[in-house]
């Protein structure tokens, strides 16, 4: 028997409002807390949890940025001649995304989404590495780096395996007792909520299935570890989208030209602009100010949200929709989707959740990047109580097993967000 297993289970989009009036994990992890999310999509939330830092520090925020100099997509430019009826198809986009991902050796989640091929060479993609893996952050370290550096044998999910594959893999590692730390990532609830909305009758059965899975994992762990410290948590919630706004149709008829005077990325809930002259800035800003379904996020607020980038790498102006308003069509999708996240973190459905079987959650754990603090604390505790281990090179000399590491992922079936919309 080993002394301790910290078991961190990340269920994407299992937000506070999803479980607030639900008995989810009441017996397995009865102590629960609402957590503030990070402004942005899973592309920002997942790296923040894994690194314990905010977007302005780790620089994993939104996927596409204006950066023609570093754009890897020039090779796709000839595709602009293909008819839009073909290239806007989701299946075609997915297939092309896989091809591009292999070609460009991207290791994280990658999707071309709905960026027109005519403009694609203006953009760079910011998640070329997988934030779940060692060295996967754009800047700084993540929990996988920490575990590797300290030589703590661990399990971290690999999105390429899918939920069931990752469950089988962690179950196997727990049964053998070879790990001292586990980080499990399940993205499928996010996809379900995007498709069906946050009131869907399918949510409860999905939560029961997660409980059953977690219960099995706990049973297996308790056979090998005296104390299993369970944490179930999410990155954000999910808001139903009942209002659609065609933001492009408001901006593109203006005199300033896309590509010549300004560039924009239309995400699902926000639009980010870069301007090349003052006329363009003025015309776009005035038009945006007259749109009641959203608002320009002031710099002071971006700073408060830890998303004010001094070099404006992710956009000079950020226009954010109110909760429940979806930009359609956007560069993320041609058609509407039932529900979305990526609104202001203070909106009702943005809040994430943390559930644990530990009696106390430290008071300073109030936002999702703080989960990293719990992971570090518990990993160190497990290291100490399960038998001390030195750095990897010393361990090898002493004949300790090396930390368990999943093989390099081939082609991810689902990304940090199991949906087609970030
Ligand atoms: Zn999502």
């Amino acid at each position: 028997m080993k002394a301790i297993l910290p078991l961190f289970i990340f269920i994407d989009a299992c937000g506070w409002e999803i479980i607030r009036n639900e008995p989810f994990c009441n017996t397995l992890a009865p102590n629960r807390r609402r957590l503030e999310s990070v402004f942005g999509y899973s592309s920002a939330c997942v790296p923040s949890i894994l690194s314990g830092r905010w977007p302005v520090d780790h620089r994993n925020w939104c996927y596409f940025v204006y950066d023609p100099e570093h754009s890897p997509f020039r090779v796709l430019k000839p595709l602009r001649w293909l008819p839009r009826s073909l290239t806007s198809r989701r299946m075609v986009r997915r297939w092309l995304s896989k091809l591009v991902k292999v070609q460009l050796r991207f290791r994280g989640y990658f999707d071309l989404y709905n960026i027109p091929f005519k403009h694609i060479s203006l953009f760079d993609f910011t998640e070329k590495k997988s934030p779940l893996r060692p060295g996967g952050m754009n800047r700084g370290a993540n929990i996988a780096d920490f575990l590797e550096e300290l030589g703590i044998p661990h399990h971290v999910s690999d999105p390429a395996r899918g939920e069931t594959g990752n469950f089988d893999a962690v179950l196997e590692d727990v049964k053998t007792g070879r790990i001292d730390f586990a980080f499990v990532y399940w993205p499928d609830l996010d996809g379900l909520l995007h498709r069906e909305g946050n009131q869907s009758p399918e949510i409860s059965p999905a939560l029961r299935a997660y409980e059953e899975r977690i219960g099995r994992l706990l049973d297996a762990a308790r056979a090998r570890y005296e104390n299993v410290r369970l944490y179930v948590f999410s990155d954000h919630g999910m808001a139903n989208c009942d209002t659609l706004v065609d933001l492009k149709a408001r901006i593109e008829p203006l005199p300033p030209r896309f590509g010549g005077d300004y560039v924009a990325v239309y995400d699902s809930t926000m639009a980010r602009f870069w301007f090349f002259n003052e006329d363009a800035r003025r015309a776009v800003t005035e038009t945006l100010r007259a749109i009641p379904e959203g608002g320009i996020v002031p710099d002071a607020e971006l700073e408060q949200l830890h998303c004010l980038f001094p070099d404006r790498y992710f956009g000079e102006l950020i226009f954010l929709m109110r909760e429940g308003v979806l930009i359609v069509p956007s560069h993320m999708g041609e058609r509407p989707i039932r529900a979305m996240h990526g609104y202001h973190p203070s909106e009702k459905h943005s809040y994430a959740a943390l559930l644990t079987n530990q009696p106390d959650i430290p008071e300073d754990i109030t936002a999702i990047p703080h989960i990293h603090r719990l992971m570090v604390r518990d990993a160190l505790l497990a290291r100490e109580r399960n038998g001390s281990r030195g750095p990897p090179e010393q361990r090898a000399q002493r004949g300790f097993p090396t930390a368990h590491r999943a093989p390099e992922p081939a082609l991810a079936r689902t990304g940090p967000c199991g949906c087609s919309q970030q």
Side-chain angles (χ1 to χ4, degrees), residues 325-378:
V325 181
L326 191 71
I327 301 173
V328 179
S330 73
H331 286 153
M332 296 297 121
E334 189 72 4
R335 283 166 281 278
I337 188 161
R338 180 69 195 97
M340 196 57 216
H341 50 91
Y343 296 103
H344 196 286
S346 65
E347 299 270 21
K348 185 179 172 188
H349 293 280
S350 293
Y351 287 92
L354 169 67
L355 302 89
T356 178
N357 64 355
Q358 296 304 293
D360 298 310
I361 304 172
E363 261 179 40
D364 60 355
I365 306 295
T366 57
I368 58 170
H370 303 158
I371 293 167
H372 181 268
R373 227 179 277 158
L374 296 176
M375 293 198 282
V376 167
R377 183 194 70 178
D378 280 27

Side-chain angles (χ1 to χ4, degrees), residues 12-13 41-42 187 190-191 194 236-238 339-341 416-422:
D12 202 306
Y41 303 94
S42 295
D190 179 78
H194 276 299
H236 50 72
M238 188 72 71
M340 196 57 216
H341 50 91
C417 178
C419 63
S420 61
Q421 301 256 337
Q422 295 182 326

Side-chain angles (χ1 to χ4, degrees), residues 8-28:
F8 285 81
I9 299 180
F10 179 174
I11 303 178
D12 202 306
C14 190
W16 181 252
E17 288 300 318
I18 303 289
I19 57 132
R20 193 160 66 96
N21 297 313
E22 240 280 341
F24 181 57
C25 281
N26 264 359
T27 49
L28 303 173

Side-chain angles (χ1 to χ4, degrees), residues 41-62:
Y41 303 94
S42 295
S43 55
C45 296
V46 177
S48 300
I49 291 171
L50 291 165
S51 69
R53 289 172 295 116
W54 297 81
V56 70
D57 296 320
H58 56 62
R59 293 178 72 87
N60 286 71
W61 195 40
C62 295

Side-chain angles (χ1 to χ4, degrees), residues 2 13 36 67 104 121 139 161 192 202 204 235 247 258 271 274 307 326 330 342 357 380 384 415:
K2 276 187 166 181
E36 196 177 305
D67 192 354
L104 299 178
S121 58
R139 187 192 275 170
R161 286 202 203 105
L192 169 71
E202 290 181 43
S204 270
D235 48 352
L247 204 57
F258 190 108
W274 293 259
C307 293
L326 191 71
S330 73
N357 64 355
L380 289 173
E384 186 194 312

